[in-house]
């Protein structure tokens, strides 16, 4: 199973998704590509959940707790988006998550 995850990490996800979208019935997609696509969907869904929590925090009455919730959720969304795009997240102190 580990080998499959290693192969999935090497998949050109945009190419695999493009082939599936262009012609789902005839697309030749490896098991590794299917795993990579599933992982991408899981990460995207995680971002959606965190973004929903951010929107709810923004809707709270303004106080110290809501400001903390907004900062926390905004940072979580930024971190997840950076990870999804393969970037490192720059921290406020100038360091990075590399």
């Amino acid at each position: 199973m580990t080998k499959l995850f290693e192969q999935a990490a090497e998949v050109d996800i945009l190419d695999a998704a493009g082939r599936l979208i262009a012609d789902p019935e005839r697309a030749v997609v490896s098991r590794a590509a299917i795993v990579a696509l599933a992982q991408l969907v899981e990460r995207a869904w995680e971002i959606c959940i965190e973004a929903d929590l951010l929107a709810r925090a923004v809707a709270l009455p303004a106080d110290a707790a809501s400001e903390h919730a907004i900062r926390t959720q905004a940072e979580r969304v930024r971190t997840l988006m950076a990870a999804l795009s393969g970037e490192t997240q720059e921290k406020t102190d100038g360091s990075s998550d590399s």
Side-chain angles (χ1 to χ4, degrees), residues 21-79:
I21 291 167
D23 193 353
E25 293 179 4
R26 298 187 63 195
V28 177
V29 180
S30 67
R31 280 188 266 193
I34 292 168
V35 169
L37 288 166
Q39 290 171 331
L40 178 64
V41 169
E42 286 180 344
R43 284 185 251 138
W45 186 241
E46 183 179 15
I47 292 167
C48 291
I49 292 168
E50 297 296 341
D52 180 57
L53 291 173
L54 174 58
R56 291 170 188 260
V58 168
L60 292 171
D63 63 11
S66 67
E67 288 177 21
H68 174 73
I70 291 168
R71 280 192 311 275
T72 300
Q73 285 310 121
E75 181 61 28
R76 182 75 178 134
V77 170
R78 279 192 296 271
T79 300

